Amino acid sequence: MMLFVAAREQLRRSRYSRTFLVESGTGELWSELQTGDRYVVADCGGGTVDLTVHQIEQPQGTLKELYKASGGPYGAVGVDLAFEAMLCQIFGEDFIHSFKAKRPAAWVDLMIAFEARKRTASPGRANALNISLPFSFIDFYKRHRGQSVEAALRRSNMNIVKWSSQGMLRLTQEAMNELFQPTISNIVKHIEELMGKLEVRGVRFLFLVGGFAESPMLQKAVQKALGRTCRIIIPHDVGLTILKGAVLFGLDPTVVRVRRCPVTYGVGVLNRFMGGRHPRDKLLIKDGREWCTDIFDRFVFVDQSVALGEVVRRSYTPARVGQRKIIINIYCSATDDITYISDPGVRKCGTITLDLPESSAPPGAVGEAGAAVAGPERREIRATMQFGDTEIKVTAVDVMSNRSVRASIDFLSN
């Protein structure tokens, strides 16, 4: 009996460790997480910082997304761009652009050298960080400017960057702070704005993950700004945490039970034209009937909670007899205040393709694909779209023959 209890407890621990990406070095955090607890995951990568907010629904570890995933261009590349801007300030913007174009390999070597030193930067470091300048950089500058790199540094009056006789730039702690500060400030501000939203209040934990989360500069800044609001968790192998989570999610996709839709999705359809309500420029007369074009038929709206397996159903009819394919354009918008697909902020983001089998019964003619079915004599293709997963899935059935219709959705070419 004792062995059974021990095995069950070990399984429980394993489940929590998998679900919450908790490494052994963070302590027995799994035992502190309870139903209803909320946490933020800040994935700090090279190009962007992406935030998600989850709430624990059940002791088994299923999760509910509380707020749509958000992010911004606040990744580690911002520090690289600040370093490049500093070089432009010292040596001249025209020279740096010329060097990048004519000596690309040497420029890459220089940025690799900076990347290595960037990773070791920390708030309490007393010594300057040395960055080797490639010989081709020193030589290229002397040929184009007729003076040495050292002379350029003296002329720039940038006291936070020194020159070493070993051919190195010496970046003081003040210089590193200046390079990191704009990017780190944007990250902290973004997290604070998210945690200030009504739907996200009450967060107990902030998981700081991703390659940039390895930086002591970022860790210290986040801890200082948010440490009193919630507990900051930085797992071991923080740069691999997202990869591990993706693999574990692939093994059990049901962990996240409810997601928030990041945008509003829908299609353009024809509706009966109503004078005084619809603009005249949307009027289409077909077969003696007046239709309003470009009506936005909403599937899901932005920030809507969508459960795993939740579906949206629509019926479509071919525009002409013998049509073998229906192509439906999908539109999206960051807002929900949409009436027509031509409204500002609405863009085409994908297509649904329905391949139609041959039909023995001749269907009646009807308007464009996307118009709702109005009568039983028309051939009906019933499409089912699932939005609650990590990707949108679509299936379709020919109602007349009850046969499946090959359906595909394409976001890549848009």
Side-chain angles (χ1 to χ4, degrees):
M1 181 66 180
M2 291 295 294
L3 287 175
F4 173 76
V5 172
R8 187 171 62 180
E9 180 67 13
Q10 181 61 36
L11 177 62
R12 181 168 169 244
R13 292 189 181 200
S14 173
R15 176 183 294 160
Y16 274 102
S17 294
R18 289 203 325 270
T19 303
F20 302 112
L21 313 178
V22 176
E23 306 291 342
S24 58
T26 61
E28 299 298 329
L29 180 61
W30 62 269
S31 62
E32 300 180 33
L33 295 167
Q34 303 172 1
T35 299
D37 279 351
R38 300 176 172 191
Y39 65 87
V40 174
V41 177
D43 178 13
C44 306
T48 62
V49 170
D50 302 300
L51 306 179
T52 54
V53 189
H54 288 149
Q55 178 174 303
I56 302 170
E57 281 200 315
Q58 301 171 10
Q60 290 79 12
T62 56
L63 306 174
K64 175 182 180 181
E65 192 174 47
L66 291 179
Y67 191 77
K68 63 177 181 177
S70 62
Y74 316 130
V77 71
V79 183
D80 299 339
L81 294 175
F83 176 64
E84 182 179 336
M86 179 180 286
L87 293 178
C88 289
Q89 189 176 345
I90 297 171
F91 302 108
E93 187 174 347
D94 58 335
F95 168 77
I96 294 298
H97 289 169
S98 177
F99 181 74
K100 288 172 64 177
K102 296 183 178 179
R103 299 288 189 275
W107 175 257
V108 171
D109 289 341
L110 173 58
M111 294 308 295
I112 289 175
F114 174 71
E115 176 70 23
R117 292 291 178 251
K118 181 178 74 174
R119 291 174 179 270
T120 64
S122 61
R125 186 185 180 97
N127 299 331
L129 289 173
N130 297 327
I131 300 173
S132 294
L133 282 182
F135 174 77
S136 60
F137 184 98
I138 299 172
D139 181 65
F140 196 78
Y141 186 79
K142 192 166 187 178
R143 287 173 181 269
H144 281 70
R145 290 288 195 264
Q147 60 178 333
S148 66
V149 166
E150 185 178 3
L153 270 170
R154 284 198 303 267
R155 194 180 71 254
S156 69
N157 293 322
M158 188 169 286
N159 298 325
I160 58 177
V161 181
K162 309 293 184 181
W163 175 250
S164 167
S165 57
Q166 286 80 28
M168 295 183 178
L169 290 178
R170 294 175 60 82
L171 272 62
T172 64
Q173 181 61 44
E174 186 180 352
M176 295 307 294
N177 288 338
E178 191 172 299
L179 295 179
F180 274 85
Q181 193 56 41
T183 298
I184 288 179
S185 295
N186 283 329
I187 293 173
V188 171
K189 181 182 178 183
H190 190 53
I191 297 174
E192 286 178 333
E193 288 177 350
L194 175 69
M195 294 180 68
K197 295 184 181 298
L198 184 63
E199 309 95 311
V200 183
R201 289 179 183 173
V203 167
R204 288 189 61 197
F205 302 96
L206 169 63
F207 290 86
L208 202 61
V209 300
F212 194 27
E214 296 175 354
S215 168
M217 302 283 282
L218 177 60
Q219 293 177 7
K220 185 67 177 286
V222 172
Q223 184 67 45
K224 181 179 179 180
L226 301 165
R228 294 183 180 181
T229 305
C230 61
R231 182 175 169 187
I232 313 298
I233 307 296
I234 305 169
H236 287 314
D237 296 327
V238 62
L240 297 176
T241 301
I242 295 297
L243 175 61
K244 291 179 181 178
V247 172
L248 294 171
F249 177 79
L251 296 174
D252 184 11
T254 63
V255 168
V256 182
R257 196 189 64 81
V258 178
R259 297 181 183 276
R260 292 277 185 162
C261 195
V263 294
T264 298
Y265 287 107
V267 297
V269 300
L270 300 178
N271 277 358
R272 296 298 292 268
F273 187 86
M274 298 178 63
R277 177 180 176 184
H278 296 143
R280 298 295 298 178
D281 62 342
K282 300 292 184 184
L283 174 62
L284 171 69
I285 300 177
K286 192 174 184 67
D287 298 330
R289 293 185 177 183
E290 293 186 342
W291 299 93
C292 181
T293 63
D294 297 342
I295 295 288
F296 184 78
D297 178 25
R298 186 179 289 96
F299 289 162
V300 290
F301 57 85
V302 62
D303 210 27
Q304 176 182 339
S305 291
V306 184
L308 186 66
E310 190 171 326
V311 298
V312 175
R313 292 183 173 86
R314 292 290 189 275
S315 293
Y316 301 102
T317 59
R320 62 185 182 277
V321 176
Q323 186 172 330
R324 301 300 302 276
K325 190 185 294 281
I326 295 178
I327 298 177
I328 305 163
N329 292 326
I330 304 175
Y331 297 88
C332 67
S333 172
T335 68
D336 189 42
D337 185 20
I338 309 166
T339 305
Y340 305 100
I341 61 174
S342 56
D343 287 351
V346 180
R347 63 181 179 88
K348 177 185 171 184
C349 61
T351 56
I352 298 174
T353 302
L354 306 177
D355 289 332
L356 308 180
E358 291 185 7
S359 173
S360 55
V366 52
E368 294 181 6
V373 174
E377 75 279 0
R378 296 169 181 163
R379 187 179 186 188
E380 179 182 352
I381 306 298
R382 189 170 296 160
T384 302
M385 286 149 283
Q386 181 174 321
F387 286 86
D389 210 337
T390 54
E391 60 181 359
I392 300 174
K393 300 175 182 177
V394 57
T395 57
V397 173
D398 186 342
V399 175
M400 185 180 299
S401 63
N402 202 30
R403 286 192 296 174
S404 294
V405 174
R406 194 171 72 86
S408 60
I409 188 166
D410 175 23
F411 286 102
L412 299 178
S413 60
N414 294 278

